[in-house]
């Protein structure tokens, strides 16, 4: 019984006015959607106004990153507590762009993930291998290390406040989507890794998304796979048409398996 979750990662895009317009259109167009969770992750400066605009809707707001300290002399940082105060209910952590360009290590991701949950947000923990790592058959080893770091302080009771996003680095923003079978196989391995850590009942209830060039064209095939519980969407989340189509694809997978979901 896992509810699919579609999250739009807007990255460094959209002014407050542009973000409000996009968020409002998404809110209106997914208003009738049932059994699929929807969230958008705007830039920090837009979180509060967009969260206010979405307050009476089914669309939630997420941060794209945060720091692990709650307050203090950390110039330029934003804490999960402040994200919550601004109206966010989720926060992405460990995105490959953070790991690649800002040096976020597996240990950092673990600290941030724990802080996010401690602030009563849900952590969207991103993991995924580079092209070279996949070619060298290191995918499972890399993901095992990323999970060891990210989940180091997370208890099994806290797993209800975690979503994992499997995002192969080679698929992000490239148009080279993983095939549905590749995504399913790796996500099933992630579930196995987590079931070794927490037990299978816990791992079976944890949601694991796929991310990497998801579009209206490939969403249904990807989201129909049994272990894939939604999508983290970058480029296609910047237009209401494509984002809403992906949400619709997720609703079709729920309707297709009414006895399971
Ligand atoms: C992302 O950045 O999380 C992402 C999945 O981007 P895109 O959909 O553009 O590949």
């Amino acid at each position: 019984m896992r509810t699919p979750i579609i999250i739009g990662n807007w990255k460094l895009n959209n002014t407050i006015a542009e973000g409000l317009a996009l968020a409002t259109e998404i809110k209106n167009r997914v208003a009738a959607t049932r059994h699929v969770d929807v969230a958008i992750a705007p830039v920090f400066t837009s979180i509060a106004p967009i969260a206010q605009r979405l307050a009476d809707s089914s669309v939630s707001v997420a941060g794209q990153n945060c720091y692990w300290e709650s307050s203090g002399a950390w110039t330029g940082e934003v804490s999960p507590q402040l994200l919550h105060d601004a109206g966010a209910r989720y926060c992405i952590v460990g995105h490959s762009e953070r790991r690649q360009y800002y040096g976020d290590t597996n240990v950092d991701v673990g600290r941030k993930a724990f802080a996010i949950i401690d602030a009563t947000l849900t952590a969207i923990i991103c993991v995924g291998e580079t092209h070279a790592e996949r070619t060298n058959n290191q995918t499972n080893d890399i993901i095992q290390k990323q999970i060891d770091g990210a989940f180091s302080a997370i208890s099994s009771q806290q797993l209800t406040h975690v979503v994992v996003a499997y995002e192969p680095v080679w698929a992000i923003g490239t148009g080279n989507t993983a095939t549905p079978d590749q995504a399913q196989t790796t996500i099933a391995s992630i579930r196995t890794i987590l079931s070794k850590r927490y037990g299978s009942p816990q791992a079976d209830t944890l949601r694991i998304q796929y991310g990497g060039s998801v579009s209206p064209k490939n969403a249904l095939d990807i989201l129909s796979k049994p272990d894939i519980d939604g999508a983290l969407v970058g480029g296609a989340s910047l237009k209401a048409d494509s984002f809403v189509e992906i949400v619709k694809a997720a609703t079709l997978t729920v309707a297709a398996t009414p006895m399971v979901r």
Side-chain angles (χ1 to χ4, degrees), residues 70-172:
S70 55
S71 63
W74 307 105
T75 302
E77 295 294 348
V78 172
S79 67
Q81 285 79 5
L82 293 184
L83 290 177
H84 189 279
D85 182 50
R89 293 297 171 258
Y90 297 88
C91 186
I92 298 168
V93 60
H95 190 282
S96 66
E97 287 153 17
R98 296 294 319 173
R99 294 178 188 263
Q100 189 179 349
Y101 304 128
Y102 303 95
D104 285 14
T105 65
N106 290 334
V107 171
D108 296 340
V109 173
R111 286 186 180 136
K112 291 182 180 189
F114 182 79
I116 290 166
I117 296 166
D118 201 41
T120 72
L121 298 168
T122 292
I124 315 292
I125 297 175
C126 301
V127 297
E129 81 288 359
T130 63
H131 187 261
E133 289 159 352
R134 176 163 280 262
T135 309
N136 292 331
N137 286 326
Q138 292 174 308
T139 300
N140 282 353
D141 287 351
I142 291 296
I143 289 177
Q144 175 79 58
K145 288 194 180 90
Q146 291 172 336
I147 287 178
D148 287 346
F151 286 83
S152 60
I154 298 176
S155 68
S156 60
Q157 289 78 13
Q158 292 173 315
L159 285 185
T160 48
H161 300 289
V162 175
V163 172
V164 174
Y166 167 56
E167 298 210 303
V169 180
W170 46 272
I172 296 178

Side-chain angles (χ1 to χ4, degrees), residues 9 11 95 97 167 171-173 211-214 232-235:
N9 175 13
K11 311 194 187 192
H95 190 282
E97 287 153 17
E167 298 210 303
I172 296 178
S213 297
V214 174
L232 183 53
V233 185

Side-chain angles (χ1 to χ4, degrees), residues 2 87 91 99 133 158 184 191 200 238:
R2 298 187 300 259
C91 186
R99 294 178 188 263
E133 289 159 352
Q158 292 173 315
Q184 162 61 28
R191 210 177 286 292
S200 1
L238 293 172

Side-chain angles (χ1 to χ4, degrees), residues 200-220:
S200 1
Q202 282 81 359
D204 284 346
T205 53
L206 187 96
R207 294 184 290 183
I208 309 180
Q209 303 174 296
Y210 168 78
S213 297
V214 174
S215 71
K217 283 203 178 118
N218 57 33
L220 186 57

Side-chain angles (χ1 to χ4, degrees), residues 7 29 34 36 57 60 65-67 71 80 90 119 127 135 141 165 178 181 187 189 191 218 231 240:
I7 302 176
R29 290 177 62 181
R34 299 284 174 272
V36 174
S57 82
S60 301
N65 176 47
C66 66
Y67 193 48
S71 63
Y90 297 88
V127 297
T135 309
D141 287 351
D181 284 342
I187 287 178
S189 304
R191 210 177 286 292
N218 57 33

